[in-house]
Amino acid sequence: MASVKSISDYPIIHTIGDQALMVMFGDGYSKQVNSKVLEFDRKLSQADFCWIVEVVPAIRSLLVTIDPLYIEMQKAEHLIREQINTQQESSIKTATRRFNIPVCYGSQYSPDLEHVSLQTGVNKEKLIELHCSCDLSVACLGFSPGLAYLAELPEEFNLPRKVSYNATALPGSVLVANRQTVFTAAAIPTGWSIIGRSPVIGFRLNQSPHFLFQPGDEIRFYPITEEQFQTSNYDKIWDAYGHY
Amino acid sequence: MATIEILDLFGSATIQDKGRIGFQRYGVPRGGAMDLYALAEGQVLLQNEPNSAALEMQFGGGTFKVHGTMTLATSGGQMEIYLDNKPIPWKSSFTVNENQILQIKKNISGVYSYLHLPGGIASTKILGSRSTHIPSGLGDVPKIGYHLRSTSKEQIRQEGLFLPPAGYYSSKTINIVHGPHSALFDKKDLELLTQKKFQMSSSRNRMGAKIIPLGWNISAQTGKTLVSDPIVPGDIQVAADGTTAILLSDSQPTGGYPRIASVITSDLFKIAQLKPGEEFYFKLIDRIEAQMKFKQKTREMEHIAKALKPLIRDPGEVRDLLSYNFISGVTRGEADDDY
């Protein structure tokens, strides 16, 4: 890991802790790298190894937690490598699920929109238009329950995180930094800029399915008014896509 | 049905079982008891299922009022415990009755202590676990006025069972293994990691524990891993300002700070029970040895029941004799504080 790796060096298998393997598919985010992560995730779920406790896909890497009472780490690594070597491009295809998600960009829901506008030199209307004009892909869920990392935004959104880490993003918040956007489903502290909030929360406690999104889903945001945010019911988004 | 009402809590408390498996991919921390060995001991004392939930108390106990009759047990970091002002031994099973007041106070060893109910605590189960995770609203939050209920119809169990004190508190050596990010760190830092002493800080919770390298600082490797990778509990993370922390049960499932090494699973109990100010060394072992230690610890946990003893027997065999209440009803029978 000390030297810079080229794409052909990947995937690389590391051990992490004493009961997990981490497979790295690249050194940063790219659609291609993330697709490989998600493809391998599907492949492992089909392989259905009894010694796998849990598989956690992330942006560029994938964690495989193993049960050391069933298998030696070396043997597990060998079997994972075998799966990688037999991985064929587009061997497993699942239909991409697409979501249209309402977002209120304005007033109390967008405390940092003004700041983002000043930082990027793009006016607020244009920023909203840009944010709603791309098909974003759920690169992974992480950090807190149901929180979706979405990529990739246009160059205009290539702004750094804020210096302070003290703001609280409420569930449904839409955050931006580093050409990524994050869609929260629980309250989190954040250093990202909060540019809007959705009445749709991707995590619910009392009903199954508990999570609206899965890695690989596509999301397109559309703007709604404050009144729509407060009065409209968007529960049907769960009904249409909740079957998995 | 009998309940145990929380009248007061002195530190923070949550309800914990073995945690949530299978939901890290949705951003849900695994959670679960900080000291799984202590959790297992409590289950053995009450003949509970291994994944039963207990009340986990960090840095302090609480005052509880009994409604009905029930057999309870305690485990984990040793506390002084009184039933209607009479001391009872730690890590034993005992039966409580209507209107009795149970006080758990004054920590003697360790950090995390457990109160067990027969069949475990019947709190809200979500995503396969009763473990409380306050930031995500998962599980019940045991607060003043909350009633702990048993999942079992049989609320009377064998009382007077006892387990000897655990030997893993105040550990001086914590075993670690290298991980995916280790090579990002300076060679010198990797060497010092296992040569220099560390101190447990007071800045700790269920998410993680800040540790202080004594006499040096790990150089932060900023910018080298900005992309989030999955985290496993035990990972030793070095933040952008050099702050070093061990990520624990409630750590977020993914994170972007580089991790210099990981504490092995079978030593996570030791880290959990280290008090602020206690000093320790890291020892680097390989993954084969780590896996062996895990198997050994698992076997030990499966055989806890073999260590069960009836509470009062040959006084010569009982180590902390003074904390036993042989003279109930005559005096308060309190132990001298000779720890």
Side-chain angles (χ1 to χ4, degrees), chain B residues 44-277:
Chain B
V44 167
L45 283 166
L46 291 178
Q47 301 95 53
N48 287 345
E49 290 297 311
N51 198 27
S52 306
L55 183 73
E56 180 182 276
M57 297 164 280
Q58 181 188 344
F59 284 134
T63 308
F64 307 86
K65 185 177 180 181
V66 181
H67 302 274
T69 300
M70 198 189 279
T71 307
L72 305 175
T74 54
S75 69
Q78 194 180 348
M79 307 284 289
E80 284 185 2
I81 173 168
Y82 300 90
L83 184 62
D84 280 349
N85 292 319
K86 292 181 193 114
I88 46 175
W90 191 249
K91 273 172 80 175
S92 72
S93 62
F94 53 96
T95 299
V96 294
N97 292 300
E98 182 75 25
N99 285 329
Q100 282 191 309
I101 300 290
L102 182 73
Q103 284 175 289
I104 300 177
K105 57 186 187 184
K106 195 167 176 216
N107 170 275
I108 292 158
S109 66
V111 174
Y112 289 95
S113 312
Y114 297 87
L115 177 65
H116 305 266
L117 272 62
I121 296 171
S123 57
T124 308
K125 194 172 190 175
I126 183 152
L127 306 178
S129 164
R130 299 183 201 277
S131 288
T132 310
H133 186 244
I134 295 170
S136 355
L138 300 176
D140 288 1
V141 182
K143 290 185 284 211
I144 291 169
Y146 183 88
H147 287 253
L148 304 170
R149 289 164 209 280
S150 156
T151 64
S152 175
K153 285 201 175 82
E154 286 168 42
Q155 303 194 345
I156 312 293
R157 302 283 165 98
Q158 187 179 346
E159 60 178 345
L161 290 176
F162 166 79
L163 283 170
Y168 54 86
Y169 296 169
S170 302
S171 295
K172 296 282 173 277
T173 309
I174 303 293
N175 291 297
I176 55 170
V177 288
H178 276 158
H181 303 148
S182 297
L184 295 176
F185 288 84
D186 294 346
K187 215 174 159 210
K188 183 184 68 70
D189 285 346
L190 285 171
E191 279 168 13
L192 289 177
L193 184 71
T194 53
Q195 287 167 5
K196 294 278 201 177
K197 241 187 226 175
F198 280 81
Q199 187 182 54
M200 176 56 69
S201 81
S202 58
S203 173
R204 57 176 307 177
N205 56 26
R206 290 186 39 86
M207 269 183 86
K210 197 174 140 188
I211 55 169
I212 304 153
L214 295 178
W216 65 298
N217 277 308
I218 303 177
S219 331
Q221 303 299 313
T222 47
K224 285 199 180 166
T225 53
L226 284 171
V227 180
S228 287
D229 285 321
I231 286 172
V232 298
D235 279 358
I236 305 166
Q237 162 186 291
V238 182
D241 61 358
T243 302
T244 307
I246 303 177
L247 302 169
L248 298 166
S249 297
D250 277 352
S251 96
Q252 70 271 26
T254 51
Y257 289 123
R259 289 156 256 154
I260 192 165
S262 302
V263 173
I264 65 170
T265 310
S266 54
D267 277 4
L268 288 174
F269 329 124
K270 296 184 185 174
I271 282 289
Q273 297 291 11
L274 275 181
K275 282 176 181 295

Side-chain angles (χ1 to χ4, degrees), chain A residues 15 18 41 60-61 146 205, chain B residues 25-26 126 229 265 287 291:
Chain A
T15 52
D18 59 337
D41 178 43
R60 60 155 176 186
S61 53
L205 278 174
Chain B
R25 57 164 48 241
Y26 297 109
I126 183 152
D229 285 321
T265 310
R287 61 187 186 179
Q291 218 168 351

